[in-house]
Amino acid sequence: QLNPEMLFLCGVSPADLHWEGPEELFSITRFKGMTTTLIPSLTTLSQKETPDLVPVKKKLWACLKILFNIQN
C-alpha cells in the first residue's frame, strides 16, 4: 500500500474527486495526512512558451519551492 506524503492534482479539481478542498490553483493544503496541491494539467504546462503561460509556470515554481523547501 502506498502512503504518499504529497499529492499533485494535475488538471483535476477537488470536486472531480468528491473532495471538499480549495479549488484555487497552486493552493497547498493538508488532506488525510498528505500535502496536496492543485496544478494545471501537464499538457497545459508542456505547451510552447507563450506570454500567458509564463506567469503560470512562475507560480508553479514558487509553489514547488515552498513544498520542497528550496531557497534561492
Side-chain angles (χ1 to χ4, degrees), residues 15-66:
D16 294 338
L17 303 174
H18 305 287
W19 168 51
E20 295 181 16
E23 297 268 344
E24 184 179 337
L25 283 176
F26 310 111
S27 60
I28 299 171
T29 58
R30 297 285 296 166
F31 177 71
K32 294 188 177 183
M34 295 178 290
T35 300
T36 61
T37 305
L38 300 173
I39 64 172
S41 71
L42 297 178
T43 302
T44 299
L45 292 172
S46 66
Q47 291 177 1
K48 184 179 177 184
E49 288 291 325
T50 60
D52 58 330
L53 192 55
V54 171
V56 172
K57 288 186 176 184
K58 285 183 178 186
K59 287 181 183 178
L60 173 60
W61 178 236
C63 179
L64 292 172
K65 289 193 316 185
I66 292 168

